[in-house]
Amino acid sequence: MSLITATFMALALCFAPAPAVGAAATVSARRPLRGNDTLVSAQGKFELGLFSPAGSSGDRFYLGIWYMNIPVQTVAWVGNRVTPLSSVATAELRVSADDGNLELVGLTAASSSPVVVWSSNLSSSSLSSSPGSNTAEIRDDGNLVLVDGGNSSNVLWQSFDHPTDTHMSGAWLGENKLTGEYQALTSWRNAQDPAPGMFTDTVNSNGTSEFVFMWNRSSTYYRTGVWTGSFFKNIPETARGNVLFNQTYIETPAYRRLTNILYNNETITRLVLDLTGQARQYVWVESWQLFWTAPIVQCDVYALCGAFGVCDQRSELPCRCPPGFAPASEADWKLSDWSDGCRRSSPLTCSRNGSTTDGFLELPDVKLPDDSLAVGAAQSKAECESACQKSCSCQAYAFSNGGCAVWHGDLRNVQQLYADSGVSGSDLYLRLSATGLRDLHSVDRKKGENHWLVLGMTMVGVLALGASLILAWRILGARRRRLASMANENSLTVYSYGDLRAATKNFSERLGGGGFGSVYRGVLKQQVQVAVKKLETLGRQGDKQFRTEVSTLGLIQHVNLVRLLGFCSLGDEKMLVYEYMPRGSLDRYLFGGGASLSWRERYSIMIGVARGLAYLHHGCRECIVHCDIKPENILLDEDMSPRIADFGMAKLVGRDFSRALTTMRGTIGYLAPEWISGQPISAMVDVYSFGMVLFELISGRRNSEEYSEVEATGTMERGSSTFFPVWAAGKVVEGEVSVVADRRLYGDVRLEELERACRVACWCIQGEEVQRPTMAQVVQVLEGAVQVHASPVPRALQHLVTLT
Ligand SMILES: *[C@@H]1O[C@H](CO)[C@@H](O)[C@H](O)[C@H]1NC(C)=O
Ligand SMILES: *[C@@H]1O[C@H](CO)[C@@H](O)[C@H](O)[C@H]1NC(C)=O
Ligand SMILES: *[C@@H]1O[C@H](CO)[C@@H](O)[C@H](O)[C@H]1NC(C)=O
Ligand SMILES: *[C@@H]1O[C@H](CO)[C@@H](O)[C@H](O)[C@H]1NC(C)=O
Ligand SMILES: *[C@@H]1O[C@H](CO)[C@@H](O)[C@H](O)[C@H]1NC(C)=O
Ligand SMILES: *[C@@H]1O[C@H](CO)[C@@H](O)[C@H](O)[C@H]1NC(C)=O
Ligand SMILES: *[C@@H]1O[C@H](CO)[C@@H](O)[C@H](O)[C@H]1NC(C)=O
Ligand SMILES: *[C@@H]1O[C@H](CO)[C@@H](O)[C@H](O)[C@H]1NC(C)=O
């Protein structure tokens, strides 16, 4: 622990506070803060002053608190969110001589003489008897406080009671039950405007302990679930497994509030309600590193893309406008503020008597927007369309499974889905004016594609037009989908059975096998070596389903994952072709009796596997649980860099997976207790198995072997019945980490890394899922970016072991 803390200290020292020019200690009636002057906290962590948002034209100034020791402007609190000052020179932050309030005075765009743009705004009854002597200071936790001049322990006002978009360590979110005031986070309006945006994170107003994220203070799009005593129900990962904060929710007659307190106040971190409507936690390690986010899927944020915007999880920027639409405010979109949404490029032409030249555009494969109206009378797609067309306010319709739905007013929450990810959506027919449709087609024609669309161009009877357009768009949609699925498969090669039989010399060189089938070495035409896996437990899975699943797997690429090159599907014969790893699997090196791995190699394998798993869990569109992490499934490439094999099998094999798994030898020792007890499985089972693998990398032997402690030497001997991880966890708690390392290393280990590895391994194998860290956190710990405390000895495990 001391070593790890030392790293942080060193980090902090690099950023030793430069004496700020014009920095004052406090603000008082006699000593206001003027112009460029700033107030710096005692240890130089936070700075208070006027700032102009990075990237803005520099003509708007706000009172803010920012992190002092990092080179990127990161504002944690803003005073005058709505009313910026137009100049710094005349600005003054002062304690009012009249009533003792803290106030910001200066020129604004609307006034030529100084005005009060922000004030602590306390009523005279809550101010002290000698208001003129009040002082304000910025504390090291980033809290701006106004202190009673007559009694320095009486805090009259503090910024922690009025958070903006950042939840700071030591501050609170919740409700003051006496005043009815809420402490909530509200996102900025855009990257350059701290005015309150669309998203808020606040405690549920109905009195429960749950926090809710809302759009426009009305539509809830995310719930944390209620406080269970150590975490919020829906975010167990922030429980004790959270290596950064001690999170507590407390309710008293006066308040109910959530606080996050950093275990180590040297950690530089921020938890912010972002422009994207997500809560995001970052840790500063040379730059802000994303550590945790909720909701995880950006498109789950309500109305993120505004009216008529389409949210696309796969594109770099989440929002785009559908064809025939353009951003309502191009400038705001550039600043990551999509809330204004999209506008029609040409207006609908609709007259009350129901005659219109408007047509419809198919948006294939989308998640339909909210607030639809069902039209029971419409029994066919054509009737549904005409129902929409007859109403001037109808903007779109969808027809599926015999049901007709129409939308009036703005469409919100349209989301692009992808069939290859297993979630297929519906087709939405969006109403466009005839001009709008014509413009679209001429654009298409210019591109030299989709020429058959011209079909629908002559403006004739409305229904005829609509129908032909729909037909055209259907063909187009189908073609586009076909192209998309081909492109997906194209990244994977489709092999014939004969190819692979020849490549593997009739499956003669078996490399290994598991519950899903055997793996054979093969050599393809260009002398490329491959590993061919013949799947055995698939049963009679449909060819189409198999191709879909496999093409999804083909999209998953990471330096620490074995790459899928192609596949073969011929009736019941299903094979997967992977790149070949000449060094084979980790178990050979750890338990094979040959040359053992050095500590440096072991540690880089730990980090590599953790990164690969973190990618599977957090980096892909859908979380992929590996379910079978063990040394046999960790292959090594030429550089001894680890590659995880066999991921995605749970999805491919489906129902038969657990049966296949439990019949496998050598796997049991890596299975988390919830597997064995038949509870639902989450990514936390991988964390558990990873912890077990960490112990094996540390000790160089199977956890499942039996050992006994020889008291005299404090090391372990083969023979009796203590389970190594339990013994090692005990040693870690006692602070004797050096004895747990593989004796073949002869003490040639980096103690700091060994300690980190042991601690994180102990956390990973906690019996309670909620106590285990996420893989993203594991990576951070192994990389030394965050500190981890010693865990309790996993009692449940010890119990389990003594029973068997
Ligand atoms: C504020 O600081 C900038 C750069 O340090 C300087 O150019 C400017 O004159 C200062 N303004 C005032 C009012 O002190
Ligand atoms: C101060 O509080 C009063 C009511 O308590 C409110 O009407 C007013 O807008 C507030 N002023 C500022 C600057 O916050
Ligand atoms: C950090 O914690 C140490 C020990 O608890 C304390 O002495 C120090 O004042 C704290 N620093 C801040 C900025 O809170
Ligand atoms: C000073 O303020 C504190 C906190 O409000 C209060 O508990 C204390 O009684 C006050 N002391 C005096 C002398 O008024
Ligand atoms: C509070 O609101 C939540 C969700 O809206 C609901 O499930 C819960 O029953 C409500 N609790 C009370 C006490 O009203
Ligand atoms: C947000 O809510 C307010 C009323 O609470 C309403 O007037 C406004 O139109 C809403 N904004 C949007 C974009 O719907
Ligand atoms: C977390 O904070 C609570 C309340 O402040 C305290 O009782 C508890 O001991 C703390 N837990 C840890 C692990 O520091
Ligand atoms: C509907 O109104 C338009 C003008 O607004 C007119 O040209 C058209 O003839 C009308 N159609 C019917 C069926 O009344």
Side-chain angles (χ1 to χ4, degrees):
M1 179 181 185
S2 55
L3 282 168
I4 296 164
T5 316
T7 319
F8 271 99
M9 302 282 276
L11 242 165
L13 283 177
C14 301
F15 296 127
V21 184
T26 56
V27 169
S28 64
R30 269 176 299 142
R31 268 187 311 177
L33 199 65
R34 291 205 174 97
N36 274 357
D37 286 357
T38 61
L39 215 55
V40 173
S41 69
Q43 294 177 25
K45 292 200 163 172
F46 289 96
E47 190 168 16
L48 170 86
L50 292 176
F51 73 97
S52 178
S56 69
S57 48
D59 55 0
R60 288 175 291 120
F61 299 91
Y62 299 88
L63 177 66
I65 295 172
W66 55 88
Y67 295 77
M68 183 149 177
N69 298 321
I70 61 173
V72 184
Q73 183 194 69
T74 309
V75 177
W77 181 83
V78 185
N80 53 327
R81 289 186 84 165
V82 186
T83 328
L85 294 176
S86 56
S87 120
V88 178
T90 54
E92 204 170 278
L93 178 70
R94 66 187 182 201
V95 170
S96 158
D98 303 335
D99 62 8
N101 268 308
L102 182 64
E103 61 188 22
L104 178 66
V105 183
L107 298 178
T108 67
S111 75
S112 52
S113 59
V115 290
V116 175
V117 294
W118 174 84
S119 163
S120 55
N121 206 17
L122 296 166
S123 63
S124 52
S125 63
S126 48
L127 284 159
S128 59
S129 49
S130 52
S133 58
N134 291 347
T135 57
E137 65 185 44
I138 172 89
R139 297 196 169 156
D140 260 321
D141 50 8
N143 195 6
L144 171 65
V145 293
L146 179 65
V147 179
D148 184 344
N151 175 357
S152 63
S153 53
N154 187 19
V155 170
L156 299 167
W157 179 96
Q158 53 191 333
S159 61
F160 275 11
D161 282 333
H162 306 273
T164 53
D165 69 337
T166 306
H167 186 194
M168 304 176 75
S169 169
W172 41 86
L173 293 181
E175 183 194 6
N176 179 334
K177 291 202 231 169
L178 304 177
T179 63
E181 251 183 301
Y182 281 80
Q183 286 88 42
L185 300 182
T186 310
S187 62
W188 282 27
R189 209 174 81 72
N190 66 42
Q192 294 172 5
D193 186 353
M198 278 298 188
F199 306 110
T200 46
D201 166 4
T202 177
V203 71
N204 197 333
S205 58
N206 74 2
T208 54
S209 56
E210 174 178 63
F211 279 72
V212 291
F213 291 14
M214 285 188 291
W215 175 83
N216 201 19
R217 300 194 169 261
S218 55
S219 304
T220 300
Y221 59 90
Y222 181 76
R223 295 174 180 281
T224 61
V226 293
W227 180 252
T228 62
S230 53
F231 59 91
F232 288 101
K233 201 157 173 287
N234 301 341
I235 36 175
E237 71 270 22
T238 58
R240 274 188 278 168
N242 186 332
V243 288
L244 291 178
F245 291 117
N246 177 1
Q247 186 172 59
T248 47
Y249 176 86
I250 296 170
E251 175 149 13
T252 72
Y255 59 79
R256 49 199 184 108
R257 56 167 68 148
L258 164 72
T259 51
N260 283 342
I261 303 204
L262 281 175
Y263 287 120
N264 181 342
N265 63 19
E266 306 289 339
T267 314
I268 303 177
T269 178
R270 66 191 285 246
L271 177 55
V272 60
L273 186 63
D274 206 67
L275 298 173
T276 58
Q278 292 166 301
R280 292 185 166 187
Q281 187 181 321
Y282 296 90
V283 178
W284 179 268
V285 189
E286 287 162 359
S287 64
W288 286 115
Q289 309 276 341
L290 185 60
F291 191 72
W292 174 83
T293 176
I296 291 171
V297 178
Q298 192 158 55
C299 291
D300 284 350
V301 174
Y302 185 84
L304 176 68
C305 301
F308 296 101
V310 178
C311 191
D312 186 345
Q313 197 64 32
R314 284 201 184 166
S315 71
E316 196 181 340
L317 292 174
C319 297
R320 62 174 153 82
C321 289
F325 284 77
S329 164
E330 201 70 67
D332 282 341
W333 275 53
K334 289 209 179 87
L335 298 172
S336 303
D337 171 14
W338 302 281
S339 59
D340 292 335
C342 305
R343 248 196 323 239
R344 286 202 157 71
S345 304
S346 85
L348 296 179
T349 51
C350 188
S351 62
R352 302 253 168 253
N353 64 13
S355 86
T356 173
T357 54
D358 295 345
F360 289 89
L361 171 71
E362 184 192 3
L363 298 183
D365 218 1
V366 296
K367 179 165 162 273
L368 296 177
D370 303 339
D371 308 323
S372 63
L373 286 178
V375 183
Q379 293 297 316
S380 66
K381 187 164 163 299
E383 281 171 24
C384 188
E385 178 172 318
S386 109
C388 183
Q389 209 152 24
K390 276 188 192 131
S391 162
C392 280
S393 64
C394 182
Q395 306 287 336
Y397 77 92
F399 188 81
S400 64
N401 297 335
C404 171
V406 294
W407 285 264
H408 297 269
D410 294 348
L411 300 183
R412 293 188 198 282
N413 277 346
V414 180
Q415 189 180 332
Q416 185 66 61
L417 299 176
Y418 292 90
D420 64 30
S421 63
V423 206
S424 50
S426 316
D427 296 336
L428 180 71
Y429 295 89
L430 186 61
R431 183 176 194 154
L432 286 185
S433 70
T435 327
L437 287 166
R438 191 172 45 222
D439 291 349
L440 271 187
H441 303 148
S442 59
V443 170
D444 284 339
R445 212 167 12 186
K446 273 189 219 126
K447 283 188 196 152
E449 288 175 4
N450 313 337
H451 39 271
W452 59 75
L453 269 174
V454 185
L455 258 180
M457 286 330 301
T458 21
M459 211 71 51
V460 279
V462 176
L463 282 179
L465 172 71
S468 58
L469 274 174
I470 286 155
L471 183 72
W473 275 99
R474 258 210 186 145
I475 295 168
L476 181 69
R479 194 182 79 128
R480 241 195 266 119
R481 268 170 295 193
R482 205 166 50 240
L483 282 176
S485 79
M486 270 165 66
N488 280 331
E489 284 188 7
N490 274 350
S491 63
L492 293 177
T493 311
V494 184
Y495 296 96
S496 74
Y497 185 81
D499 286 345
L500 294 184
R501 193 173 51 194
T504 57
K505 302 208 185 89
N506 200 16
F507 306 103
S508 55
E509 193 179 335
R510 190 168 178 276
L511 293 171
F516 315 114
S518 301
V519 182
Y520 302 89
R521 195 176 82 92
V523 182
L524 293 175
K525 290 204 183 70
Q526 302 81 22
Q527 296 304 306
V528 181
Q529 295 196 83
V530 291
V532 178
K533 182 173 196 110
K534 265 180 112 168
L535 294 167
E536 277 155 16
T537 46
L538 272 189
R540 295 194 162 267
Q541 190 185 45
D543 189 59
K544 199 172 153 207
Q545 188 193 352
F546 178 76
R547 279 170 186 265
T548 311
E549 298 293 0
V550 167
S551 55
T552 320
L553 286 184
L555 295 175
I556 301 165
Q557 294 177 13
H558 185 271
V559 287
N560 296 116
L561 300 177
V562 175
R563 181 146 178 218
L564 182 65
L565 302 174
F567 64 92
C568 161
S569 173
L570 177 78
D572 282 354
E573 284 290 359
K574 305 263 195 302
M575 288 183 269
L576 299 176
V577 180
Y578 290 100
E579 59 183 341
Y580 178 71
M581 294 285 134
R583 287 186 186 265
S585 54
L586 178 61
D587 55 316
R588 291 199 211 163
Y589 289 83
L590 277 183
F591 322 122
S596 133
L597 296 166
S598 71
W599 177 255
R600 202 177 52 79
E601 286 167 332
R602 291 180 202 216
Y603 202 72
S604 76
I605 289 170
M606 293 175 191
I607 293 187
V609 175
R611 285 187 183 139
L613 274 177
Y615 178 76
L616 285 177
H617 291 179
H618 313 290
C620 301
R621 214 177 104 81
E622 282 174 88
C623 170
I624 294 165
V625 185
H626 187 291
C627 293
D628 197 17
I629 288 294
K630 55 183 178 181
E632 287 76 2
N633 278 337
I634 297 166
L635 307 185
L636 298 172
D637 69 12
E638 295 80 0
D639 310 325
M640 298 301 277
S641 160
R643 307 282 205 103
I644 300 170
D646 255 10
F647 56 86
M649 283 298 142
K651 219 165 162 240
L652 259 188
V653 182
R655 250 165 226 279
D656 289 335
F657 185 75
S658 54
R659 194 168 48 80
L661 210 53
T662 43
T663 55
M664 263 183 280
R665 284 182 41 152
T667 294
I668 290 293
Y670 305 92
L671 290 186
E674 61 265 27
W675 254 127
I676 296 159
S677 63
Q679 283 160 24
I681 300 303
S682 76
M684 286 298 154
V685 300
D686 287 349
V687 176
Y688 183 95
S689 311
F690 176 76
M692 287 297 181
V693 172
L694 279 188
F695 276 117
E696 296 186 329
L697 276 159
I698 291 165
S699 70
R701 52 198 170 190
R702 294 254 189 219
N703 293 332
S704 51
E705 283 179 28
E706 295 193 328
Y707 297 91
S708 70
E709 186 170 0
V710 175
E711 287 300 335
T713 62
T715 55
M716 296 209 48
E717 295 293 343
R718 200 174 288 257
S720 161
S721 62
T722 310
F723 190 48
F724 176 78
V726 175
W727 176 81
K731 289 290 165 199
V732 173
V733 172
E734 288 162 25
E736 293 182 50
V737 275
S738 57
V739 300
V740 305
D742 190 344
R743 274 192 285 165
R744 288 178 291 173
L745 293 167
Y746 298 106
D748 190 9
V749 301
R750 298 187 58 176
L751 275 183
E752 182 190 341
E753 291 174 350
L754 176 62
E755 181 164 14
R756 255 184 238 155
C758 287
R759 286 189 170 182
V760 83
C762 290
W763 278 112
C764 289
I765 62 168
Q766 294 292 313
E768 295 291 325
E769 270 179 74
V770 297
Q771 295 193 343
R772 297 176 210 150
T774 65
M775 283 316 297
Q777 292 172 327
V778 169
V779 172
Q780 293 263 342
V781 172
L782 289 177
E783 285 175 344
V786 294
Q787 183 190 3
V788 65
H789 296 250
S791 78
V793 175
R795 297 281 163 209
L797 187 62
Q798 194 166 28
H799 185 62
L800 199 81
V801 169
T802 31
L803 278 182
T804 52

